[in-house]
Every structure is written in structure tokens, then in C-alpha cells.
Amino acid sequence: MATLMGKRILVIGGSSGIGLGVATAVLDKGAEVVIVGRSQEKLQAAERALAAVGKVSTFVADMTQEAEIARLFAGIGGLDHLVSTAGTPPPDYPIGDTDLNVVRGFIDNKLVGAVLVAKHAIRTLKKGGSMTFTSGINKDKPPVPGGSVVAAHRRVVRLFRACAVAGTGADKGQRGVAGLGRYTHVHRTGRRE
């Protein structure tokens, strides 16, 4: 396994939950971490908690807002790796009671946000770097109620992987993309693009 010592890693959704766990783990391995989230307060709390472990900085951005994502990547410089654990809980009510605004928010967060992040991150990703997007257990074990939206999301994950392959040139051997369980991983090989 490659070392993370001295690597710069961006963790979107890093102020709590799995993202905070990822940030802690990579700091323990000697990486520098930038954590991104929507809540300044949660980011500040996470930064205080992680400061004793290693070098950490924060950035407030909503991954569904392209201007904020563009500002994020314009402001942070080069990255070795990106991990996105950001997510919104799926709707938890029967299809007959579906609130389309909640469904749109869920899709914006899990698909549109991931596409926006990948679009802007690829410009700052260093040779040998990677992007990893998590989708969560719900795509494999849809909740009841709410499973219909999650089942649709499962197809969205496959669409995102296909777009990543085509959009990154992996289909031409320029970068590799692997769908591994509950996440999609995009690897930058550094070949000419």
C-alpha cells in the first residue's frame, strides 16, 4: 500500500461521520487534510478535534452549488487524493407520499454534486492521485419506506461510474475507474490527456 505521508487529501463531508473518520485515519498516516462541509460550526469543531492529530484546514462549500465548488478548487491548490463521503439521508416515506423537493435534493447531493466535484477536482489532482465517492449502504439495502428513491439512486451510481470512465479517458487507458462495493474510485495515471 502506498504511503500517505506528506500527501494532501481533500475530504468532502469530513466534519462528521464517516468523513471525519477518514480525515482522522489519513492524518494518523501523516497526510495533510482539507475537510469540506456546509456547516462552519461543524467544520470548526472537527478542526479543533483533529488539530492534535495533524495538519488540517477547513473550507465551507455546498457540493450542489457549482460556484462554491469552483471557488473551493481554485483556492486549495494541488491535491493527491479526494474522498467524498457527503450525503443526504434518503426519503423515508412511501412513494405515494413522496415530496419531490426532497427527492431532488437527494439526487442533487448524490449525483449532481459528485459530477460537479469531479469536474473541478480533475484540474487539481496530481499524477497518481485518486477520487473516491461513497454512496452508502442504502443503495444495496434500500430502506422501507423510501426504497423506491434509493433503488433509482442505485442506477444513478452506475451512470456516474460510466460517465467517469468516459469523461476521464479511462476507456482510452488514461485513468482508471473502479466501482468497488459502495464507492466509485477514479485514479489519475498522469498519462497525456
Side-chain angles (χ1 to χ4, degrees):
M1 176 184 262
T3 181
L4 295 177
M5 183 64 70
K7 300 292 183 181
R8 193 146 189 256
I9 300 174
L10 178 73
V11 182
I12 298 175
S15 63
S16 63
I18 293 171
L20 184 58
V22 169
T24 302
V26 298
L27 283 169
D28 283 341
K29 299 290 184 186
E32 172 189 344
V33 177
V34 179
I35 56 175
V36 179
R38 293 177 290 194
S39 167
Q40 180 70 42
E41 294 77 27
K42 286 174 73 175
L43 286 168
Q44 288 172 339
E47 185 175 26
R48 284 190 299 274
L50 295 171
V53 182
K55 186 175 180 184
V56 61
S57 57
T58 64
F59 201 100
V60 177
D62 180 339
M63 68 186 289
T64 67
Q65 303 300 312
E66 185 163 15
E68 293 182 27
I69 294 302
R71 184 174 50 87
L72 164 68
F73 287 103
I76 62 170
L79 294 173
D80 293 292
H81 304 285
L82 175 146
V83 178
S84 178
T85 65
T88 303
D92 61 352
Y93 36 76
I95 191 70
D97 298 328
T98 299
D99 178 340
L100 287 181
N101 289 324
V102 172
V103 172
R104 285 184 179 112
F106 179 71
I107 298 299
D108 278 354
N109 186 278
K110 295 311 282 182
L111 174 64
V112 176
V115 170
L116 290 175
V117 166
K119 173 184 173 182
H120 291 278
I122 201 69
R123 299 173 183 143
T124 63
L125 199 60
K126 295 177 183 176
K127 179 181 177 182
S130 67
M131 290 187 273
T132 302
F133 296 87
T134 64
S135 62
I137 190 74
N138 284 329
K139 80 167 187 54
D140 296 320
K141 295 183 180 183
V144 176
S148 56
V149 173
V150 176
H153 173 257
R154 185 175 186 168
R155 296 296 176 200
V156 167
V157 169
R158 288 185 180 167
L159 171 65
F160 178 74
R161 183 180 184 279
C163 290
V165 170
T168 63
D171 52 341
K172 298 177 182 76
Q174 293 176 343
R175 295 187 194 116
V177 178
L180 303 171
R182 293 182 215 19
Y183 64 90
T184 296
H185 180 79
V186 180
H187 180 76
R188 184 170 183 138
T189 65
R191 291 191 175 117
R192 192 167 199 191
E193 301 172 32

